[in-house]
Amino acid sequence: MTITLLGFVAGAAFGLVFLPPVYVAGAQGVVRLVSDDTSKPAEPTDPTAMATERELVSADDVAHLVQRRTGWPGSPADLRSPLGVSVVGGTETMTIAYRADDPERARVGAQAFAESYLADRSSRAAAARDSSRQNLQAALRTATDRVGRLRASLATTAAGAQAATELLFQEAAPYQAGLADLAAVDTAAAGAVVQPASLPPAPSGPGPLTAAGLGGLLGLVAGASTATIRSQVGRRVRGESDLEAQLGAPLLASVPRTRRTHPDDAALVTVTLPDGPAAEAYRRLRARILTMADRSGLKIVMVASPTAEGGTAAIAANLAVSVAATGRRVALLAADLRGSRLHGYFGLGNERGLSDVLAGEAAPSDVAQALPGLETLMVMPAGPAVAKPAELVEAGPMRVVLEERGEVSDFVVVEAPPALSAAECLTLAPMVDGIVVVADARHATRDDLAEAGAQLRQVGGHVIGAVLTNVSP
Protein backbone atom coordinates (compact mmCIF):
# COMPACT_ATOMS: atom_id res chain seq x y z
CA MET A 1 0.00 0.00 0.00
CA THR A 2 2.79 2.43 0.87
CA ILE A 3 4.59 1.80 -2.42
CA THR A 4 1.32 2.31 -4.31
CA LEU A 5 0.62 5.61 -2.55
CA LEU A 6 4.15 6.83 -3.09
CA GLY A 7 3.86 5.90 -6.75
CA PHE A 8 0.65 7.95 -7.07
CA VAL A 9 2.14 11.02 -5.37
CA ALA A 10 5.40 10.80 -7.31
CA GLY A 11 3.56 10.34 -10.60
CA ALA A 12 1.29 13.33 -9.95
CA ALA A 13 4.26 15.52 -9.03
CA PHE A 14 6.15 14.40 -12.10
CA GLY A 15 3.22 15.07 -14.40
CA LEU A 16 2.69 18.54 -12.92
CA VAL A 17 6.31 19.66 -12.90
CA PHE A 18 8.07 17.77 -15.64
CA LEU A 19 5.41 17.46 -18.36
CA PRO A 20 5.08 21.01 -19.72
CA PRO A 21 3.05 21.60 -22.89
CA VAL A 22 4.83 20.39 -26.01
CA TYR A 23 4.24 21.81 -29.51
CA VAL A 24 4.82 19.73 -32.64
CA ALA A 25 5.11 21.15 -36.16
CA GLY A 26 5.62 19.15 -39.33
CA ALA A 27 6.76 19.71 -42.90
CA GLN A 28 6.34 17.29 -45.80
CA GLY A 29 8.95 16.77 -48.51
CA VAL A 30 9.02 14.69 -51.68
CA VAL A 31 12.24 12.80 -52.52
CA ARG A 32 13.18 12.47 -56.18
CA LEU A 33 15.77 10.10 -57.69
CA VAL A 34 18.52 12.05 -59.49
CA SER A 35 19.91 10.07 -62.45
CA ASP A 36 22.47 10.89 -65.14
CA ASP A 37 20.40 8.95 -67.70
CA THR A 38 18.13 11.69 -68.96
CA SER A 39 16.67 9.49 -71.72
CA LYS A 40 14.59 7.56 -69.20
CA PRO A 41 11.70 8.92 -67.15
CA ALA A 42 12.43 9.41 -63.47
CA GLU A 43 11.82 6.24 -61.45
CA PRO A 44 10.15 6.30 -58.05
CA THR A 45 12.41 5.91 -55.03
CA ASP A 46 11.94 2.38 -53.65
CA PRO A 47 11.03 1.66 -49.98
CA THR A 48 14.54 0.49 -49.07
CA ALA A 49 16.07 3.69 -50.42
CA MET A 50 13.40 5.73 -48.61
CA ALA A 51 14.39 4.05 -45.34
CA THR A 52 17.96 5.20 -45.97
CA GLU A 53 16.82 8.71 -46.84
CA ARG A 54 14.83 8.83 -43.59
CA GLU A 55 18.06 8.20 -41.67
CA LEU A 56 19.90 10.88 -43.65
CA VAL A 57 17.52 13.59 -42.43
CA SER A 58 19.19 13.37 -39.01
CA ALA A 59 22.77 13.18 -40.34
CA ASP A 60 25.43 15.49 -38.88
CA ASP A 61 25.82 17.40 -42.17
CA VAL A 62 22.10 18.22 -42.16
CA ALA A 63 22.21 19.26 -38.50
CA HIS A 64 25.13 21.59 -39.24
CA LEU A 65 23.10 23.21 -42.06
CA VAL A 66 20.17 23.65 -39.65
CA GLN A 67 22.50 25.30 -37.17
CA ARG A 68 23.74 27.74 -39.80
CA ARG A 69 20.18 28.55 -40.89
CA THR A 70 18.78 29.05 -37.39
CA GLY A 71 21.78 30.13 -35.34
CA TRP A 72 20.71 27.71 -32.59
CA PRO A 73 23.52 26.59 -30.26
CA GLY A 74 24.27 23.03 -29.25
CA SER A 75 25.67 19.88 -30.81
CA PRO A 76 24.13 18.02 -33.79
CA ALA A 77 22.80 15.46 -31.29
CA ASP A 78 21.06 18.24 -29.33
CA LEU A 79 19.49 19.69 -32.47
CA ARG A 80 18.10 16.40 -33.78
CA SER A 81 16.89 14.96 -30.45
CA PRO A 82 13.39 16.55 -30.89
CA LEU A 83 13.31 15.41 -34.55
CA GLY A 84 10.92 12.78 -35.87
CA VAL A 85 10.94 11.48 -39.46
CA SER A 86 8.50 9.08 -41.06
CA VAL A 87 7.76 7.87 -44.59
CA VAL A 88 4.15 8.29 -45.70
CA GLY A 89 3.00 4.78 -46.63
CA GLY A 90 4.96 3.40 -49.57
CA THR A 91 5.33 6.82 -51.20
CA GLU A 92 8.26 9.17 -51.83
CA THR A 93 6.92 11.60 -49.25
CA MET A 94 8.45 12.09 -45.81
CA THR A 95 6.97 13.91 -42.84
CA ILE A 96 9.61 15.78 -40.84
CA ALA A 97 8.30 16.75 -37.39
CA TYR A 98 9.96 18.81 -34.66
CA ARG A 99 9.00 19.12 -30.97
CA ALA A 100 9.59 22.16 -28.80
CA ASP A 101 8.10 23.94 -25.80
CA ASP A 102 7.56 26.99 -28.03
CA PRO A 103 5.33 26.83 -31.15
CA GLU A 104 7.58 29.08 -33.24
CA ARG A 105 10.67 27.01 -32.46
CA ALA A 106 8.77 23.85 -33.44
CA ARG A 107 7.79 25.42 -36.78
CA VAL A 108 11.29 26.74 -37.51
CA GLY A 109 12.89 23.40 -36.55
CA ALA A 110 10.65 21.34 -38.83
CA GLN A 111 11.08 23.71 -41.78
CA ALA A 112 14.84 24.06 -41.26
CA PHE A 113 15.42 20.29 -41.17
CA ALA A 114 13.25 19.76 -44.27
CA GLU A 115 15.04 22.46 -46.27
CA SER A 116 18.52 21.51 -45.00
CA TYR A 117 18.01 17.83 -45.81
CA LEU A 118 16.95 18.66 -49.38
CA ALA A 119 19.87 21.09 -49.74
CA ASP A 120 22.29 18.41 -48.51
CA ARG A 121 20.75 15.87 -50.89
CA SER A 122 21.17 18.28 -53.83
CA SER A 123 24.76 18.92 -52.76
CA ARG A 124 25.53 15.20 -52.67
CA ALA A 125 23.94 14.73 -56.09
CA ALA A 126 26.01 17.63 -57.46
CA ALA A 127 29.20 16.15 -56.02
CA ALA A 128 28.45 12.78 -57.66
CA ARG A 129 27.70 14.49 -60.97
CA ASP A 130 30.91 16.55 -60.83
CA SER A 131 32.98 13.45 -60.05
CA SER A 132 31.48 11.67 -63.08
CA ARG A 133 32.14 14.76 -65.22
CA GLN A 134 35.80 14.86 -64.16
CA ASN A 135 36.24 11.18 -65.01
CA LEU A 136 34.68 11.66 -68.45
CA GLN A 137 36.75 14.78 -69.14
CA ALA A 138 39.95 12.96 -68.19
CA ALA A 139 39.06 10.07 -70.49
CA LEU A 140 38.21 12.51 -73.29
CA ARG A 141 41.55 14.30 -72.90
CA THR A 142 43.39 10.97 -73.05
CA ALA A 143 41.57 10.01 -76.27
CA THR A 144 42.17 13.44 -77.78
CA ASP A 145 45.89 13.35 -76.98
CA ARG A 146 46.26 9.86 -78.40
CA VAL A 147 44.50 10.76 -81.67
CA GLY A 148 46.44 14.03 -81.80
CA ARG A 149 49.68 12.10 -81.87
CA LEU A 150 48.26 9.84 -84.57
CA ARG A 151 47.15 12.86 -86.63
CA ALA A 152 50.64 14.30 -86.44
CA SER A 153 52.14 11.07 -87.76
CA LEU A 154 49.60 10.89 -90.61
CA ALA A 155 49.48 14.57 -91.46
CA THR A 156 51.72 14.10 -94.48
CA THR A 157 48.69 13.05 -96.51
CA ALA A 158 45.17 14.44 -96.60
CA ALA A 159 43.74 10.94 -96.34
CA GLY A 160 45.79 10.26 -93.22
CA ALA A 161 44.66 13.49 -91.54
CA GLN A 162 41.04 12.72 -92.45
CA ALA A 163 41.34 9.20 -91.00
CA ALA A 164 42.80 10.58 -87.77
CA THR A 165 39.98 13.12 -87.53
CA GLU A 166 37.33 10.44 -88.01
CA LEU A 167 39.02 8.31 -85.35
CA LEU A 168 38.95 11.25 -82.95
CA PHE A 169 35.21 11.71 -83.50
CA GLN A 170 34.59 7.99 -82.91
CA GLU A 171 36.62 7.84 -79.69
CA ALA A 172 35.34 11.13 -78.32
CA ALA A 173 31.64 10.54 -79.08
CA PRO A 174 30.80 8.36 -76.03
CA TYR A 175 32.54 10.73 -73.63
CA GLN A 176 30.91 13.80 -75.18
CA ALA A 177 27.51 12.09 -74.99
CA GLY A 178 28.13 11.29 -71.33
CA LEU A 179 29.12 14.90 -70.63
CA ALA A 180 25.97 16.09 -72.38
CA ASP A 181 23.86 13.80 -70.21
CA LEU A 182 25.57 15.09 -67.06
CA ALA A 183 25.00 18.68 -68.14
CA ALA A 184 21.29 17.93 -68.30
CA VAL A 185 21.19 16.53 -64.76
CA ASP A 186 19.24 18.88 -62.51
CA THR A 187 20.59 18.33 -58.99
CA ALA A 188 18.09 20.87 -57.70
CA ALA A 189 15.36 18.35 -58.55
CA ALA A 190 16.45 16.05 -55.73
CA GLY A 191 13.26 16.90 -53.86
CA ALA A 192 10.96 19.67 -52.69
CA VAL A 193 9.06 20.78 -49.62
CA VAL A 194 5.45 20.28 -50.66
CA GLN A 195 3.87 21.27 -47.34
CA PRO A 196 5.79 23.87 -45.31
CA ALA A 197 5.70 23.69 -41.53
CA SER A 198 3.03 25.88 -39.98
CA LEU A 199 2.68 27.29 -36.49
CA PRO A 200 1.01 24.63 -34.27
CA PRO A 201 -2.23 26.15 -32.89
CA ALA A 202 -2.14 24.23 -29.63
CA PRO A 203 0.20 22.01 -27.63
CA SER A 204 0.13 18.35 -28.50
CA GLY A 205 0.72 17.23 -24.95
CA PRO A 206 -1.59 17.48 -21.94
CA GLY A 207 -2.11 20.62 -19.85
CA PRO A 208 -0.73 20.86 -16.29
CA LEU A 209 -3.80 19.50 -14.46
CA THR A 210 -4.35 16.74 -16.98
CA ALA A 211 -0.66 15.90 -16.82
CA ALA A 212 -0.85 15.70 -13.02
CA GLY A 213 -3.86 13.37 -13.23
CA LEU A 214 -2.26 11.18 -15.86
CA GLY A 215 1.01 11.12 -13.94
CA GLY A 216 -0.79 10.14 -10.76
CA LEU A 217 -2.69 7.37 -12.52
CA LEU A 218 0.46 6.05 -14.14
CA GLY A 219 2.31 6.27 -10.83
CA LEU A 220 -0.51 4.34 -9.15
CA VAL A 221 -0.34 1.59 -11.76
CA ALA A 222 3.46 1.54 -11.65
CA GLY A 223 3.56 1.32 -7.88
CA ALA A 224 1.00 -1.50 -7.78
CA SER A 225 2.61 -3.61 -10.50
CA THR A 226 6.34 -2.93 -10.31
CA ALA A 227 7.23 -6.54 -9.56
CA THR A 228 5.04 -7.88 -12.37
CA ILE A 229 6.43 -5.43 -14.91
CA ARG A 230 10.00 -6.26 -13.95
CA SER A 231 9.39 -9.94 -14.49
CA GLN A 232 7.85 -9.33 -17.91
CA VAL A 233 10.26 -6.78 -19.30
CA GLY A 234 13.40 -8.38 -20.71
CA ARG A 235 16.35 -7.14 -22.64
CA ARG A 236 15.72 -9.27 -25.73
CA VAL A 237 14.74 -7.71 -29.04
CA ARG A 238 10.97 -7.69 -29.42
CA GLY A 239 10.35 -8.25 -33.08
CA GLU A 240 11.25 -6.54 -36.31
CA SER A 241 10.27 -2.95 -35.49
CA ASP A 242 12.21 -3.10 -32.21
CA LEU A 243 15.28 -4.39 -34.07
CA GLU A 244 15.08 -1.51 -36.57
CA ALA A 245 14.69 1.04 -33.79
CA GLN A 246 17.67 -0.26 -31.81
CA LEU A 247 20.01 -0.71 -34.77
CA GLY A 248 18.89 2.39 -36.66
CA ALA A 249 18.69 0.50 -39.96
CA PRO A 250 15.94 -1.28 -41.93
CA LEU A 251 15.20 -4.98 -41.67
CA LEU A 252 16.20 -6.69 -44.92
CA ALA A 253 14.93 -10.22 -44.20
CA SER A 254 13.61 -12.53 -41.46
CA VAL A 255 14.95 -16.07 -41.73
CA PRO A 256 12.71 -18.69 -40.08
CA ARG A 257 14.09 -21.35 -37.78
CA THR A 258 15.00 -24.62 -39.53
CA ARG A 259 15.20 -28.09 -38.05
CA ARG A 260 18.63 -29.67 -37.66
CA THR A 261 19.38 -33.24 -36.65
CA HIS A 262 22.35 -32.06 -34.58
CA PRO A 263 23.23 -28.58 -33.21
CA ASP A 264 26.64 -28.68 -34.92
CA ASP A 265 25.23 -29.57 -38.36
CA ALA A 266 26.09 -26.99 -41.02
CA ALA A 267 23.64 -27.08 -43.93
CA LEU A 268 23.01 -24.69 -46.79
CA VAL A 269 19.22 -24.36 -46.83
CA THR A 270 19.45 -22.54 -50.17
CA VAL A 271 20.78 -25.84 -51.59
CA THR A 272 19.16 -28.54 -49.45
CA LEU A 273 15.70 -26.89 -49.21
CA PRO A 274 15.53 -24.49 -52.18
CA ASP A 275 11.71 -24.31 -52.04
CA GLY A 276 11.49 -23.82 -48.29
CA PRO A 277 10.64 -20.61 -46.40
CA ALA A 278 14.27 -20.06 -45.30
CA ALA A 279 15.54 -20.18 -48.89
CA GLU A 280 12.79 -17.74 -49.89
CA ALA A 281 13.94 -15.39 -47.12
CA TYR A 282 17.47 -15.46 -48.55
CA ARG A 283 16.10 -14.66 -51.99
CA ARG A 284 14.36 -11.60 -50.51
CA LEU A 285 17.63 -10.62 -48.83
CA ARG A 286 19.44 -11.06 -52.14
CA ALA A 287 16.91 -8.93 -54.03
CA ARG A 288 17.18 -6.04 -51.59
CA ILE A 289 20.97 -6.08 -51.47
CA LEU A 290 21.32 -6.33 -55.26
CA THR A 291 18.90 -3.41 -55.63
CA MET A 292 21.25 -1.37 -53.43
CA ALA A 293 24.19 -2.64 -55.50
CA ASP A 294 22.59 -1.47 -58.75
CA ARG A 295 21.69 1.93 -57.33
CA SER A 296 24.76 2.84 -55.30
CA GLY A 297 27.60 0.62 -56.49
CA LEU A 298 27.48 -1.65 -53.43
CA LYS A 299 29.91 -4.52 -54.09
CA ILE A 300 31.67 -5.69 -50.91
CA VAL A 301 29.24 -6.61 -48.11
CA MET A 302 30.27 -7.67 -44.62
CA VAL A 303 27.97 -9.86 -42.52
CA ALA A 304 28.45 -9.23 -38.81
CA SER A 305 26.68 -9.92 -35.54
CA PRO A 306 26.97 -8.25 -32.12
CA THR A 307 27.83 -11.57 -30.44
CA ALA A 308 28.94 -15.07 -31.40
CA GLU A 309 25.36 -16.43 -31.20
CA GLY A 310 24.21 -14.50 -34.26
CA GLY A 311 24.78 -17.22 -36.86
CA THR A 312 26.89 -15.02 -39.12
CA ALA A 313 28.47 -17.94 -41.02
CA ALA A 314 25.08 -19.35 -42.08
CA ILE A 315 23.85 -15.98 -43.32
CA ALA A 316 27.06 -15.23 -45.23
CA ALA A 317 27.19 -18.71 -46.82
CA ASN A 318 23.53 -18.79 -47.91
CA LEU A 319 23.63 -15.19 -49.16
CA ALA A 320 26.69 -15.97 -51.28
CA VAL A 321 25.05 -19.08 -52.74
CA SER A 322 21.83 -17.18 -53.45
CA VAL A 323 23.67 -14.39 -55.30
CA ALA A 324 25.81 -16.90 -57.22
CA ALA A 325 22.60 -18.60 -58.38
CA THR A 326 21.86 -15.47 -60.45
CA GLY A 327 24.99 -16.06 -62.54
CA ARG A 328 27.09 -13.41 -60.83
CA ARG A 329 30.66 -14.25 -59.88
CA VAL A 330 30.77 -14.24 -56.09
CA ALA A 331 33.73 -14.33 -53.69
CA LEU A 332 33.04 -15.50 -50.12
CA LEU A 333 35.68 -14.72 -47.49
CA ALA A 334 35.81 -16.11 -43.95
CA ALA A 335 37.34 -13.20 -42.01
CA ASP A 336 36.58 -14.61 -38.55
CA LEU A 337 40.13 -15.74 -37.76
CA ARG A 338 39.13 -16.80 -34.24
CA GLY A 339 37.34 -19.98 -35.28
CA SER A 340 35.19 -19.63 -38.40
CA ARG A 341 32.89 -22.51 -39.31
CA LEU A 342 32.15 -21.16 -42.77
CA HIS A 343 34.14 -23.86 -44.58
CA GLY A 344 31.93 -26.52 -43.00
CA TYR A 345 28.90 -25.35 -44.98
CA PHE A 346 30.68 -26.35 -48.19
CA GLY A 347 32.52 -29.43 -46.96
CA LEU A 348 35.90 -27.74 -47.44
CA GLY A 349 39.10 -28.11 -45.45
CA ASN A 350 40.50 -25.25 -43.40
CA GLU A 351 44.21 -26.07 -43.54
CA ARG A 352 44.96 -22.94 -45.59
CA GLY A 353 43.03 -19.70 -45.88
CA LEU A 354 42.86 -15.99 -45.25
CA SER A 355 45.20 -16.11 -42.26
CA ASP A 356 47.95 -17.47 -44.54
CA VAL A 357 47.33 -14.65 -47.03
CA LEU A 358 47.48 -11.95 -44.37
CA ALA A 359 50.68 -13.49 -42.98
CA GLY A 360 52.27 -13.28 -46.44
CA GLU A 361 52.50 -17.05 -46.84
CA ALA A 362 50.06 -17.42 -49.74
CA ALA A 363 48.30 -15.44 -52.46
CA PRO A 364 44.49 -15.08 -52.48
CA SER A 365 44.24 -17.21 -55.62
CA ASP A 366 46.17 -20.00 -53.88
CA VAL A 367 43.64 -20.47 -51.07
CA ALA A 368 40.34 -19.56 -52.79
CA GLN A 369 38.49 -22.77 -53.62
CA ALA A 370 35.96 -23.49 -56.36
CA LEU A 371 32.91 -25.65 -55.68
CA PRO A 372 31.47 -28.42 -57.87
CA GLY A 373 28.04 -27.36 -59.09
CA LEU A 374 28.59 -23.72 -58.03
CA GLU A 375 31.07 -22.58 -60.66
CA THR A 376 30.44 -18.86 -60.06
CA LEU A 377 31.28 -19.06 -56.33
CA MET A 378 34.82 -18.99 -54.90
CA VAL A 379 35.23 -19.62 -51.15
CA MET A 380 38.26 -18.48 -49.12
CA PRO A 381 38.28 -20.25 -45.72
CA ALA A 382 39.66 -18.53 -42.65
CA GLY A 383 42.63 -20.86 -42.37
CA PRO A 384 44.36 -21.92 -39.16
CA ALA A 385 43.37 -19.90 -36.09
CA VAL A 386 45.91 -17.27 -35.06
CA ALA A 387 46.86 -15.98 -31.62
CA LYS A 388 46.39 -12.29 -32.37
CA PRO A 389 43.81 -11.93 -35.15
CA ALA A 390 43.23 -8.21 -34.58
CA GLU A 391 46.91 -7.38 -35.15
CA LEU A 392 47.02 -9.61 -38.25
CA VAL A 393 43.98 -7.93 -39.82
CA GLU A 394 45.30 -4.45 -39.01
CA ALA A 395 48.87 -5.07 -40.20
CA GLY A 396 48.15 -7.50 -43.03
CA PRO A 397 47.07 -6.55 -46.57
CA MET A 398 43.35 -7.03 -45.85
CA ARG A 399 42.23 -4.06 -47.96
CA VAL A 400 44.37 -5.32 -50.86
CA VAL A 401 42.80 -8.78 -50.55
CA LEU A 402 39.29 -7.28 -50.69
CA GLU A 403 40.18 -5.17 -53.72
CA GLU A 404 41.72 -8.16 -55.49
CA ARG A 405 38.63 -10.30 -54.83
CA GLY A 406 36.46 -7.43 -56.04
CA GLU A 407 38.39 -7.25 -59.31
CA VAL A 408 37.86 -10.93 -60.11
CA SER A 409 34.26 -11.06 -58.85
CA ASP A 410 30.96 -9.25 -59.33
CA PHE A 411 30.08 -9.42 -55.63
CA VAL A 412 32.01 -10.09 -52.42
CA VAL A 413 30.57 -11.41 -49.14
CA VAL A 414 32.71 -11.23 -45.99
CA GLU A 415 31.96 -13.21 -42.82
CA ALA A 416 33.10 -11.06 -39.88
CA PRO A 417 33.84 -11.94 -36.25
CA PRO A 418 31.49 -10.69 -33.48
CA ALA A 419 31.37 -6.88 -33.44
CA LEU A 420 31.34 -6.45 -29.66
CA SER A 421 34.07 -8.94 -28.77
CA ALA A 422 36.48 -8.86 -31.72
CA ALA A 423 38.33 -5.62 -32.48
CA GLU A 424 39.11 -6.76 -36.02
CA CYS A 425 35.42 -6.46 -36.92
CA LEU A 426 35.70 -2.69 -36.41
CA THR A 427 38.92 -2.68 -38.45
CA LEU A 428 37.09 -4.38 -41.33
CA ALA A 429 34.04 -2.07 -41.18
CA PRO A 430 35.44 0.91 -43.16
CA MET A 431 37.03 -1.41 -45.75
CA VAL A 432 33.67 -2.67 -47.08
CA ASP A 433 30.84 -0.95 -48.93
CA GLY A 434 28.07 -2.06 -46.60
CA ILE A 435 27.41 -4.03 -43.42
CA VAL A 436 24.51 -6.41 -42.74
CA VAL A 437 23.98 -6.96 -39.02
CA VAL A 438 22.63 -10.37 -38.00
CA ALA A 439 20.46 -10.76 -34.89
CA ASP A 440 19.28 -14.07 -33.45
CA ALA A 441 15.66 -13.73 -32.36
CA ARG A 442 16.31 -16.00 -29.35
CA HIS A 443 19.48 -14.36 -28.05
CA ALA A 444 19.95 -10.82 -29.42
CA THR A 445 19.46 -8.01 -26.91
CA ARG A 446 18.45 -4.44 -27.52
CA ASP A 447 21.57 -3.07 -25.83
CA ASP A 448 23.89 -5.24 -27.92
CA LEU A 449 22.26 -4.21 -31.19
CA ALA A 450 22.33 -0.51 -30.34
CA GLU A 451 25.96 -0.72 -29.21
CA ALA A 452 27.06 -2.70 -32.28
CA GLY A 453 25.40 -0.24 -34.65
CA ALA A 454 26.96 2.73 -32.85
CA GLN A 455 30.47 1.22 -32.84
CA LEU A 456 30.35 0.22 -36.51
CA ARG A 457 29.24 3.70 -37.55
CA GLN A 458 31.79 5.37 -35.28
CA VAL A 459 34.67 3.81 -37.24
CA GLY A 460 33.14 4.74 -40.59
CA GLY A 461 31.15 1.58 -41.35
CA HIS A 462 27.94 1.83 -43.40
CA VAL A 463 25.19 -0.31 -41.83
CA ILE A 464 22.75 -1.00 -44.68
CA GLY A 465 20.32 -3.23 -42.82
CA ALA A 466 19.67 -6.23 -40.61
CA VAL A 467 18.69 -9.89 -40.83
CA LEU A 468 16.65 -11.47 -38.03
CA THR A 469 17.35 -15.20 -37.75
CA ASN A 470 15.76 -18.12 -35.88
CA VAL A 471 12.34 -16.53 -36.23
CA SER A 472 9.50 -18.79 -35.10
CA PRO A 473 7.43 -20.00 -38.09
Side-chain angles (χ1 to χ4, degrees):
M1 178 63 71
T2 302
I3 295 178
T4 303
L5 181 61
L6 287 175
F8 175 82
V9 174
F14 179 86
L16 185 62
V17 177
F18 296 103
L19 292 179
V22 176
Y23 296 87
V24 179
Q28 283 194 342
V30 173
V31 178
R32 298 299 184 197
L33 181 66
V34 178
S35 172
D36 57 4
D37 189 352
T38 56
S39 64
K40 296 181 180 179
E43 297 180 356
T45 308
D46 65 27
T48 301
M50 286 299 295
T52 301
E53 294 297 328
R54 181 188 64 190
E55 299 297 325
L56 290 176
V57 177
S58 59
D60 283 353
D61 289 344
V62 176
H64 287 309
L65 284 177
V66 170
Q67 198 163 40
R68 286 197 290 270
R69 289 170 182 262
T70 61
W72 291 347
S75 66
D78 294 332
L79 290 179
R80 61 175 171 250
S81 61
L83 180 68
V85 185
S86 60
V87 178
V88 180
T91 69
E92 300 173 291
T93 302
M94 285 193 297
T95 298
I96 300 173
Y98 203 79
R99 307 183 308 277
D101 56 3
D102 176 74
E104 177 61 15
R105 183 180 177 90
R107 184 195 69 79
V108 171
Q111 188 69 19
F113 265 98
E115 293 175 351
S116 298
Y117 156 70
L118 292 174
D120 178 71
R121 196 169 191 273
S122 295
S123 176
R124 287 186 282 108
R129 178 201 59 193
D130 293 342
S131 176
S132 298
R133 179 188 291 123
Q134 291 173 2
N135 293 336
L136 287 172
Q137 288 173 339
L140 181 58
R141 284 195 299 270
T142 300
T144 303
D145 292 342
R146 183 171 62 253
V147 177
R149 291 191 295 271
L150 178 62
R151 179 186 292 175
S153 65
L154 299 177
T156 54
T157 66
Q162 178 64 28
T165 301
E166 291 177 356
L167 180 59
L168 173 61
F169 284 140
Q170 292 175 1
E171 292 211 21
Y175 305 120
Q176 291 172 337
L179 289 170
D181 286 341
L182 289 175
V185 174
D186 182 12
T187 58
V193 177
V194 295
Q195 181 176 320
S198 59
L199 202 67
S204 61
L209 294 179
T210 303
L214 290 174
L217 179 60
L218 292 175
L220 182 65
V221 173
S225 57
T226 298
T228 304
I229 293 175
R230 281 184 177 179
S231 65
Q232 293 177 349
V233 174
R235 294 173 57 244
R236 288 198 311 179
V237 173
R238 302 180 188 88
E240 300 175 356
S241 60
D242 192 22
L243 185 153
E244 292 181 332
Q246 300 305 319
L247 184 63
L251 181 70
L252 301 178
S254 293
V255 180
R257 188 179 307 163
T258 54
R259 293 181 178 272
R260 291 185 295 179
T261 57
H262 191 275
D264 292 331
D265 285 348
L268 289 167
V269 295
T270 46
V271 175
T272 59
L273 296 171
D275 298 325
E280 181 61 29
Y282 284 111
R283 284 190 285 270
R284 288 196 297 271
L285 174 62
R286 175 188 69 191
R288 287 167 180 165
I289 289 181
L290 291 183
T291 297
M292 296 182 198
D294 293 339
R295 290 186 176 275
S296 59
L298 185 75
K299 187 169 187 177
I300 304 176
V301 172
M302 183 173 81
V303 181
S305 176
T307 62
E309 296 85 6
T312 304
I315 299 299
N318 282 285
L319 172 61
V321 170
S322 184
V323 175
T326 66
R328 290 173 171 84
R329 296 171 302 163
V330 180
L332 175 59
L333 279 70
D336 183 0
L337 305 184
R338 297 170 182 257
S340 171
R341 296 175 53 227
L342 185 68
H343 57 279
Y345 286 87
F346 303 95
L348 300 176
N350 196 39
E351 295 77 20
R352 301 184 73 201
L354 180 61
S355 60
D356 299 290
V357 177
L358 297 181
E361 299 174 359
S365 57
D366 294 335
V367 299
Q369 302 183 47
L371 301 167
L374 287 171
E375 291 77 13
T376 59
L377 176 61
M378 296 290 289
V379 180
M380 184 184 296
V386 295
K388 297 181 179 180
E391 286 79 354
L392 187 59
V393 171
E394 291 174 1
M398 188 67 204
R399 191 181 294 273
V400 176
V401 174
L402 292 174
E403 292 175 353
E404 186 272 343
R405 291 291 90 186
E407 290 175 358
V408 299
S409 308
D410 301 316
F411 197 76
V412 181
V413 180
V414 181
E415 176 220 10
L420 297 183
S421 59
E424 59 269 28
C425 182
L426 300 182
T427 301
L428 288 166
M431 299 183 187
V432 300
D433 300 327
I435 303 169
V436 174
V437 175
V438 181
D440 189 308
R442 297 178 299 172
H443 302 292
T445 68
R446 309 172 80 196
D447 293 343
D448 286 347
L449 275 172
E451 180 65 18
Q455 289 193 19
L456 290 169
R457 293 186 179 95
Q458 189 175 27
V459 297
H462 177 39
V463 179
I464 60 174
V467 175
L468 188 63
T469 64
N470 271 329
V471 179
S472 299

